[in-house]
């Protein structure tokens, strides 16, 4: 039996894996100790659990456990990385390079730093969502201290050429940070092979708990340091104070371990379902995939259905939970800034749906979603004046619209 | 966002979707909004030659649920009204009837604009001057 609505918004958050919950449970009531308590068994037990989780986390990304700084999530990790580098390396320079399709946690942190005297270059992504290493090279200045480029985009799932960019940064002695929230646990991310200096990710996008995340900070070649943004007891090698959230850290560790062990099997199954969903929906006239399809996460699909409006479409597909880069959902009357940055026509940007699959998604659910979306698009086109004009061969660009 | 039952009803069972012959002298067509703003409404009225009563009204809308519901409701209200009475339909009546939240008031404004635009199209076709709209929306 299908349970409605069907959850296909796994880029927003994933359900927790029951095995993660099981691993966490003993750390609320029985083993509740403070991992920083060095004088008794309660503290030791907690510390041991955290150390083990740190190993599990590190081994997913091929890092050393000492390089794992636990935070409250990727937003905090991004803030710590950018603000921490800005302060720590102030003498070296104040120029950052990033991309205009980054998550707001990067863009708004950059805006904040600009007010404090940082200089930021925002690279423009191509129509397929990707940037090139040449663009980064052209933006580098003598005072550049950090390049921050997301591993994979949260709206369209495209994977940036990380290795090429890190090689360039290394040759210029510039630090490289990546927001890998959507990538870690879904595809192979290896901080050594990829040449990453700092990396943010969070637990709740990979079947772990909310409110816990990581900033990976490289310790060797080069040894990277960031100025703490949270002062206090000097936890996390002095970079992030605050009593450790032991159950969540244990959960994150377990989630990382499961992703490491099951990634290949999950990816094969999920990408097959994603591709089927996409192929079936592409049968709909005037439907498009947004973003590069070659360099892309296996579980994401962002599609536009021309001549229907995104929020109306979301309402029409009420039995599936998806997200839209639509006008009205944010009440800001702006289509997705990511899709707009790719140069998409407004009417395409307005009518996009993002599907995010998970390890819990079933074939039956995908079947349902395909039919549900097809019906909704057809119904809305029946009542769309734009569709009627398109069918009559009228070019919408020739019409003088009464903008309001 | 939670929609009111009336919005959901109009969205699920829209009244009077369709197209009237826009070349007919008895038909007035209003096309308002813009694709880049996320909503476009086309509203049409057919006026009885003898009585001056709106005998049919049709719409097609590209937009969110509230925009679809606003135009659907507008066609319901237009049918059977004289052209002069139709001009009295105020966007706030639509807001009230559909319980639209503040962020959706623009949908009702658009519906009112569509009504006026359709009426003016009809007036111009029949040798009358268009009615100036001095109303300010806030």
């Amino acid at each position: 039996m299908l349970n409605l609505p069907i959850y296909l918004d796994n880029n927003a958050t994933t359900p927790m894996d029951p095995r993660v919950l099981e691993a966490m449970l003993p750390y609320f009531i029985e083993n509740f100790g403070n991992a920083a308590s060095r004088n008794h068994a309660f503290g030791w037990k907690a510390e041991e659990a955290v150390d083990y989780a740190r190993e599990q986390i590190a081994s997913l990304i091929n890092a050393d456990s000492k390089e794992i700084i636990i935070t409250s999530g990727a937003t905090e990790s991004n803030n710590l990385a950018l603000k921490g580098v800005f302060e720590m390396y102030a003498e070296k320079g104040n120029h950052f390079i990033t991309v205009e399709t980054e998550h707001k946690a990067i863009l708004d942190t950059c805006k904040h730093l600009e007010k404090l005297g940082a200089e930021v270059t925002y690279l423009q992504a191509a129509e397929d969502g990707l940037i090139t290493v040449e663009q980064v090279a052209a933006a580098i200045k003598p005072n550049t201290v950090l390049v921050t480029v997301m591993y994979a985009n949260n709206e369209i799932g495209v994977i940036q050429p990380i290795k090429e960019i890190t090689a360039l940064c290394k040759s210029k002695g510039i630090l490289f940070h990546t927001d890998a929230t959507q990538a870690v646990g879904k595809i192979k991310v290896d901080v050594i092979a990829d040449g990453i200096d700092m990396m943010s990710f969070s637990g709740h996008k990979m079947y772990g708990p909310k409110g816990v995340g990581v900033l990976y900070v490289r310790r060797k070649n080069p040894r990277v340091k960031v100025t703490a943004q949270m002062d206090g007891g000097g936890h996390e090698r002095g970079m992030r104070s605050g009593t450790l959230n032991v159950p969540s850290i244990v959960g994150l560790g377990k989630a990382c371990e499961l992703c490491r062990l099951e990634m290949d099997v999950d990816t094969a199954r999920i990408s097959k379902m994603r591709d089927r969903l996409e192929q079936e929906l592409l049968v709909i006239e005037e439907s498009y995939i947004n973003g590069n399809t070659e360099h892309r996460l296996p579980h994401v699909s962002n599609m536009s259905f021309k001549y229907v409006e995104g929020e109306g479409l979301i309402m029409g597909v009420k039995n599936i939970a998806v997200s839209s880069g639509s006008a009205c959902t944010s009440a800001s009357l702006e289509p997705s800034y990511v899709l707009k940055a790719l140069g998409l026509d407004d009417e395409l940007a307005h009518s996009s749906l993002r599907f995010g699959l998970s390890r819990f998604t079933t074939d039956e659910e995908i079947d349902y979603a395909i039919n549900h979306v097809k019906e909704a698009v057809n119904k809305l086109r029946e009542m769309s004046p734009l569709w009627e004009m398109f069918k009559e061969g009228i070019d919408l660009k020739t019409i003088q619209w009464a903008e309001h | 966002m939670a929609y009111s039952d009336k919005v959901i009803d109009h969205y699920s069972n829209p009244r009077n979707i369709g197209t009237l012959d826009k070349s007919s002298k008895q038909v007035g067509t209003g096309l308002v909004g813009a694709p880049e703003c996320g909503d476009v409404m086309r509203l049409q009225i057919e006026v009885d030659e003898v009585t001056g009563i709106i005998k049919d009204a049709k719409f097609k809308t590209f937009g969110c649920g509230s925009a679809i519901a606003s135009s659907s409701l507008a066609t319901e209200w237009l049918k059977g009204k004289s052209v002069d009475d139709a001009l009295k339909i105020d966007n706030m009546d639509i807001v009230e009837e559909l319980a639209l939240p503040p962020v959706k008031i623009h949908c009702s404004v658009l519906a009112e604009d569509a009504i006026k635009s359709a009426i003016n199209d009809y007036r111009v076709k029949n040798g009358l001057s268009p009615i100036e709209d001095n109303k300010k929306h806030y």
Side-chain angles (χ1 to χ4, degrees):
Chain A
M1 255 310 274
L2 267 184
N3 273 328
L4 299 179
I6 294 164
Y7 189 72
L8 288 174
D9 199 12
N10 287 283
N11 298 94
T13 193
T14 52
M16 222 164 65
D17 193 299
R19 294 168 290 180
V20 170
L21 177 64
E22 204 182 326
M24 290 169 70
L25 284 175
Y27 293 93
F28 287 99
I29 291 176
E30 297 152 52
N31 307 323
F32 60 86
N34 186 330
S37 298
R38 294 280 155 77
N39 303 321
H40 48 68
F42 295 90
W44 302 332
K45 261 204 169 138
E47 191 185 18
E48 200 180 304
V50 168
D51 285 348
Y52 185 68
R54 235 185 262 281
E55 295 287 347
Q56 291 172 309
I57 298 163
S59 107
L60 175 65
I61 58 170
N62 196 22
D64 185 280
S65 63
K66 294 191 188 69
E67 298 174 313
I68 304 299
I69 307 298
I70 304 286
T71 66
S72 64
T75 291
E76 187 194 334
S77 300
N78 286 335
N79 271 266
L80 174 57
L82 272 55
K83 292 173 181 171
V85 163
F86 179 72
E87 281 189 49
M88 181 62 72
Y89 296 87
E91 279 179 18
K92 210 180 151 228
N94 66 341
H95 179 232
F96 285 24
I97 298 171
T98 187
V99 186
E100 60 183 15
T101 52
E102 291 287 312
H103 192 272
K104 290 284 180 195
I106 293 288
L107 295 176
D108 286 356
T109 304
C110 284
K111 292 266 177 288
H112 178 89
L113 290 175
E114 279 179 296
K115 285 186 205 143
L116 300 178
E119 193 188 327
V120 184
T121 301
Y122 300 88
L123 301 177
Q124 196 182 347
E127 257 176 40
D128 64 357
L130 295 178
I131 60 159
T132 63
V133 68
E134 289 78 18
Q135 280 177 283
V136 180
I140 289 175
K141 304 180 187 192
N143 60 336
T144 306
V145 282
L146 182 80
V147 172
T148 175
V149 174
M150 73 197 330
Y151 208 107
N153 185 269
N154 51 308
E155 288 198 30
I156 53 179
V158 298
I159 300 169
Q160 299 290 359
I162 298 296
K163 267 187 204 175
E164 293 173 37
I165 299 169
T166 59
L168 170 74
C169 291
K170 193 139 288 186
S171 74
K172 303 269 181 192
I174 297 165
L175 293 174
F176 179 83
H177 166 261
T178 185
D179 175 358
T181 308
Q182 298 290 344
V184 170
K186 308 295 167 54
I187 56 171
K188 196 154 175 50
V189 173
D190 179 324
V191 291
I192 305 285
D194 291 340
I196 293 162
D197 297 321
M198 280 174 288
M199 179 165 83
S200 307
F201 56 100
S202 69
H204 74 102
K205 309 271 194 203
M206 48 191 281
Y207 316 104
K210 293 173 180 62
V212 65
V214 169
L215 179 65
Y216 158 80
V217 180
R218 182 182 278 273
R219 285 183 83 214
K220 266 191 268 180
N221 313 314
R223 182 182 178 85
V224 181
K225 286 177 88 177
V226 292
T227 304
Q229 301 300 308
M230 186 85 81
D231 295 312
H235 306 77
E236 302 300 284
R237 291 169 50 218
M239 288 188 246
R240 202 274 191 182
S241 289
T243 298
L244 293 181
N245 177 4
V246 178
S248 290
I249 296 168
V250 167
L252 174 59
K254 185 68 184 177
C256 286
E257 183 184 273
L258 293 173
C259 284
R260 182 173 59 83
L261 296 174
E262 299 175 4
M263 186 184 297
D264 291 347
V265 176
D266 278 347
T267 300
R269 202 177 61 84
I270 294 169
S271 64
K272 214 170 137 194
M273 284 192 287
R274 191 272 311 267
D275 292 346
R276 191 163 65 85
L277 172 76
E278 230 165 37
Q279 289 314 312
E280 289 284 337
L281 293 182
L282 277 175
V283 172
I284 300 173
E285 226 181 317
E286 293 296 311
S287 59
Y288 301 90
I289 298 172
N290 296 315
N292 188 295
T293 52
E294 194 184 331
H295 304 284
R296 188 167 58 144
L297 294 172
H299 64 295
V300 190
S301 175
N302 189 309
M303 294 187 72
S304 284
F305 305 93
K306 224 172 169 180
Y307 312 113
V308 296
E309 189 276 331
E311 195 188 341
L313 184 54
I314 288 274
M315 200 171 162
V317 295
K318 61 179 192 306
N319 289 339
I320 59 173
V322 290
S323 110
S324 164
S326 129
C328 312
T329 38
S330 61
S332 67
L333 291 174
E334 278 298 321
S336 149
Y337 72 95
V338 172
L339 296 181
K340 278 198 91 161
L342 307 187
L344 235 65
D345 283 353
D346 279 302
E347 64 260 35
L348 273 182
H350 268 303
S351 66
S352 70
L353 293 182
R354 179 187 66 183
F355 303 91
L357 284 64
S358 82
R359 69 163 67 120
F360 302 111
T361 304
T362 65
D363 275 313
E364 201 187 3
E365 289 176 331
I366 294 298
D367 288 339
Y368 185 92
I370 291 166
N371 287 327
H372 199 46
V373 172
K374 278 184 179 170
E375 274 171 26
V377 170
N378 287 338
K379 179 187 159 163
L380 288 166
R381 280 183 177 169
E382 279 302 304
M383 57 172 110
S384 165
L386 305 181
W387 178 249
E388 187 182 300
M389 290 175 194
F390 165 71
K391 280 289 169 185
E392 287 170 355
I394 298 168
D395 181 358
L396 297 181
K397 294 206 163 41
T398 63
I399 294 177
Q400 189 73 44
W401 297 105
E403 286 187 42
H404 57 102
Chain B
M1 187 188 314
Y3 291 97
S4 69
D5 290 346
K6 280 183 179 158
V7 169
I8 292 170
D9 179 41
H10 276 280
Y11 175 87
S12 311
N13 311 294
R15 333 292 199 249
N16 309 310
I17 291 180
T19 307
L20 298 171
D21 176 13
K22 64 170 180 271
S23 62
S24 160
K25 216 179 140 188
Q26 297 312 117
V27 171
T29 301
L31 180 68
V32 296
E36 58 262 44
C37 303
D39 30 30
V40 175
M41 273 180 203
R42 191 194 61 199
L43 201 139
Q44 294 182 300
I45 51 169
E46 186 177 2
V47 182
D48 189 286
E49 213 166 338
V50 182
T51 61
I53 299 287
I54 297 171
K55 61 179 186 183
D56 202 1
K58 297 277 185 202
F59 84 96
K60 281 201 176 187
T61 290
F62 163 89
C64 65
S66 302
I68 290 168
S70 295
S71 38
S72 170
L73 176 67
T75 58
E76 257 191 340
W77 281 355
L78 284 168
K79 280 205 226 178
K81 275 201 170 62
S82 69
V83 173
D84 287 346
D85 281 345
L87 278 171
K88 291 179 196 150
I89 295 175
D90 188 89
N91 81 291
M92 289 314 288
D93 300 337
I94 296 173
V95 170
E96 207 171 299
E97 174 68 15
L98 296 176
L100 296 180
V103 293
K104 295 298 181 187
I105 288 178
H106 72 277
C107 298
S108 69
V109 173
L110 205 60
E112 188 191 312
D113 287 349
I115 293 171
K116 297 207 159 119
S117 166
I119 289 172
N120 275 339
D121 182 54
Y122 166 77
R123 286 178 62 92
V124 170
K125 271 182 183 169
N126 288 278
L128 301 165
S129 61
I131 289 160
E132 287 289 319
D133 183 15
N134 295 318
K135 184 175 167 184
K136 293 268 187 292
H137 293 292
Y138 296 100

